[in-house]
Amino acid sequence: MGKTIITAAMLLLATLAQAAGSGSTIQVREAWTRATPPQAPSAAGYLTLVNAGAEADRLLSVSSPMAARVEIHESRMDGGVMRMRRLDGLDLPAGATVALAPSGAHLMLIGPRQPLLAGQAIEVVLRFARAPAQTVRLQVRPIDATAPAADMHGMHM
């Protein structure tokens, strides 16, 4: 009986240790957005995703309590005109770094529930095909910002 309990306890501990060590292979860095004027219909969010895993993954969707909805978009030059289109997800190849940045892929926060003010942080939830969902804080930079603050790294909750 004693050996059975010890064996069961050891198996439980091994399982818990494995689960604790199997954290997300997706790292989030430089998560930011710009301040918005009152009544702005949308805001763009930017971040860098690092897939440190050995398998490809995909960003499937994003949500935020601060916006009616969040979409994944891409801006691209087409015949001398910058065009934006909605993406149904974003591929994250194994070992790759994928930047969501101005004039490229980005998050579109549609219908902000209130103006975004510089110095605030807003939560977004990233959902992936393989990795667990992550809640990330986008740091709100001044309205004319062109890049994240120099001291920003992964702004996780």
Side-chain angles (χ1 to χ4, degrees):
M1 172 97 175
K3 286 183 181 181
T4 303
I5 293 173
I6 291 172
T7 302
M10 302 243 335
L11 286 173
L12 178 62
L13 288 174
T15 302
L16 291 173
Q18 183 178 9
S22 65
S24 178
T25 57
I26 305 297
Q27 301 167 6
V28 180
R29 299 182 181 153
E30 302 174 339
W32 67 287
T33 186
R34 292 185 185 104
T36 60
Q39 308 301 319
S42 62
Y46 312 106
L47 47 86
T48 299
L49 299 169
V50 179
N51 183 351
E55 296 185 50
D57 206 335
R58 183 171 176 82
L59 176 63
L60 298 176
S61 66
V62 183
S63 62
S64 175
M66 290 295 293
R69 70 182 188 277
V70 182
E71 297 176 355
I72 305 166
H73 281 210
E74 174 185 58
S75 295
R76 176 178 283 171
M77 288 300 287
D78 180 19
V81 176
M82 184 66 80
R83 299 192 189 275
M84 185 170 54
R85 68 182 180 111
R86 182 179 180 182
L87 301 175
D88 65 355
L90 189 64
D91 290 331
L92 306 171
T97 298
V98 177
L100 283 75
S103 300
H106 59 277
L107 305 178
M108 200 63 158
L109 292 93
I110 299 170
R113 302 197 192 287
Q114 61 190 48
L116 306 182
L117 305 175
Q120 289 182 325
I122 63 164
E123 292 181 16
V124 295
V125 179
L126 309 175
R127 289 179 186 78
F128 302 95
R130 295 182 182 272
Q134 290 188 45
T135 299
V136 176
R137 293 171 61 94
L138 301 179
Q139 296 299 311
V140 181
R141 303 276 292 131
I143 201 165
D144 59 350
T146 58
D151 62 348
M152 285 183 58
H153 295 293
M155 304 301 292
H156 298 279
M157 294 292 297

